[in-house]
Amino acid sequence: MTEPTHDNEAHGGALGSRLNWLRAAVLGANDGIVSTAGIVVGVAGATGDRNALLTAGLAGLLAGSMSMAAGEYVSVSTQRDSELAALALEKRELKEQPEAELEELTELLERRGLSREVAREAAVQLTERDALRAHARVELGIDPDELTNPWHAALASFLAFTVGALLPLLAIVLPPAAWRLPVTVVSVLAALVLTGWSSARSGAAAVGPAVLRNVAGGALAMGVTYAAGSLLGAVGV
C-alpha cells in the first residue's frame, strides 16, 4: 500500500519540476521578445538607419540574455545551497535522534490522511529503505536526485531570452525600410499570443486572459518606446 504512494509522489514532483522549467523557458522567451521589441521600436521611432537598429537590438539581446543568465544562476545557486543545507541538517538529525525523526515522519504521513497504524508502518518502511530521501521528500519537499543545477538554469534562461529576442531583431532589420515597423509589430504580437497561450497551458490556466494580458503588455511597451523615440527624434536628440 505504501509503495504506490511513494512512487506517485516522486512522479508528481518530477512533473512539477518539468512544468516549472517549461514556464521559465516561456517567460524567458517572452521577456526577450518584449524587451528587445521595445528597444528596436523605440530606436525606429527616432531613426530608420539599419545599422543603428541592429546595434541597439544586439546590445539589448546580449545585455538581456546575460542579465537573465546571471540572475537565474544566482537565484538557483541560493536555492540549491539552502536545499543542501537542509539535507545536511536532516542527515545529522537522523543520526543523532532517529526515534524522534521516525515519529516526525509518522505524524507528517498522518496529516496526509493515513491512519496512525498505517502511517507508522509506512514511516518504518520508508526509513528502512532510505531515511534521508523519505524525510527530504515528505518533510522538506525536496527530491535529493532532482536538485536544480544553476549552470543548466543559467544556460536555459540565456537561450530562452536569446530565441525570443531574435524575433523582433530580425523583423526590424531584414524587411525594407517602409515595412520594418509593421512587420515587427505584427510579428511580436503574434509571438506574444503564442507565449501567452503556452504559459497558460503549462499552468492549466485560462488561455484568453493570459493571451490578452501578454499582448496588451507588449503593445503598450512598443507604443511607449516608439512615442519616446519619435519625440527624441523630432527634437534632434
Side-chain angles (χ1 to χ4, degrees):
M1 291 295 293
T2 58
E3 191 67 26
T5 302
H6 184 68
D7 288 343
N8 287 340
E9 181 183 343
H11 291 314
L15 177 60
S17 178
R18 287 194 295 271
L19 288 176
N20 286 337
W21 275 97
L22 176 59
R23 280 193 289 270
V26 171
L27 291 175
N30 196 77
D31 287 345
I33 294 169
V34 174
S35 61
T36 306
I39 291 172
V40 296
V41 168
V43 174
T47 177
D49 182 71
R50 190 189 301 268
N51 289 332
L53 293 170
L54 179 60
T55 301
L58 278 176
L61 184 154
L62 292 174
S65 60
M66 293 302 296
S67 175
M68 287 283 292
E72 193 70 9
Y73 178 82
V74 170
S75 174
V76 172
S77 293
T78 301
Q79 176 185 337
R80 185 184 178 90
D81 290 344
S82 299
E83 291 173 343
L84 290 174
L87 289 172
L89 176 60
E90 195 64 37
K91 185 176 183 180
R92 185 168 67 250
E93 291 177 343
L94 284 167
K95 182 179 180 180
E96 295 175 352
Q97 42 189 354
E99 287 301 321
E101 289 298 302
L102 179 60
E103 178 61 26
E104 182 181 33
L105 183 58
T106 301
E107 292 176 356
L108 289 170
L109 291 173
E110 276 190 276
R111 293 173 191 170
R112 296 192 174 193
L114 299 180
S115 67
R116 173 71 184 182
E117 293 74 16
V118 174
R120 184 70 175 187
E121 179 185 353
V124 170
Q125 292 187 20
L126 290 172
T127 298
E128 290 175 349
R129 182 175 179 178
D130 192 327
L132 180 59
R133 179 174 282 103
H135 280 267
R137 289 177 171 173
V138 178
E139 180 182 347
L140 305 176
I142 299 173
D143 188 341
D145 300 323
E146 296 289 338
L147 297 181
T148 306
N149 186 314
W151 288 107
H152 291 170
L155 179 61
S157 292
F158 178 88
L159 292 176
F161 188 96
T162 300
V163 169
L166 281 174
L167 174 69
L169 176 59
L170 295 177
I172 202 73
V173 298
L174 292 182
W179 287 93
R180 287 175 191 163
L181 194 58
V183 167
T184 300
V185 171
V186 171
S187 300
V188 166
L189 295 182
L192 291 177
V193 169
L194 179 60
T195 56
W197 178 86
S198 300
S199 63
R201 293 286 293 178
S202 66
V207 172
V211 170
L212 182 60
R213 288 193 299 265
N214 219 31
V215 171
L220 179 62
M222 289 188 290
V224 170
T225 56
Y226 182 77
S230 299
L231 179 61
L232 293 174
V235 298
V237 176

